Amino acid sequence: MKRRKFTAAFKRRVVLEALRGEETVRSIASRLGVHPNRASNWKAEAHEGLLEVRWRCLPTARASRRTAKRIGWWSACTPGSAS
């Protein structure tokens, strides 16, 4: 049996539907033909990534906006950025 490869777009679709909370991860996974554990893992990974971006974007006394721009964090914190 060959391993299935999922595109980033498909994973994003699963995660966004799971984060909306309108359905359970299990029902989303069943509807889209993915194992529930895999969908849960993708959701957890996305959540961890969002927390990391949010943590980097929190303003602190040491890292002003100017400093954040200089070290490259600002692009990840602004809406519409490619990061």
Side-chain angles (χ1 to χ4, degrees):
M1 184 178 220
K2 202 171 190 181
R3 290 183 77 146
R4 290 175 63 187
K5 291 186 180 183
F6 297 99
T7 65
F10 180 77
K11 290 178 185 180
R12 187 173 28 254
R13 177 180 173 196
V14 173
V15 168
L16 288 175
E17 287 191 29
L19 289 174
R20 263 191 221 120
E22 295 171 0
E23 291 181 73
T24 64
V25 173
R26 184 181 192 102
S27 65
I28 294 166
S30 175
R31 182 168 44 82
L32 297 176
V34 179
H35 194 280
N37 289 348
R38 181 166 288 186
S40 292
N41 289 342
W42 291 342
K43 180 182 175 185
E45 289 170 8
H47 189 23
E48 288 172 13
L50 291 173
L51 290 176
E52 168 121 1
V53 168
R54 184 174 180 196
W55 175 253
R56 291 187 335 191
C57 296
L58 289 174
T60 64
R62 289 185 183 188
S64 65
R65 287 183 180 181
R66 184 177 301 148
T67 304
K69 285 181 184 179
R70 185 172 46 80
I71 60 178
W73 288 358
W74 191 252
S75 62
C77 301
T78 54
S81 65
S83 299

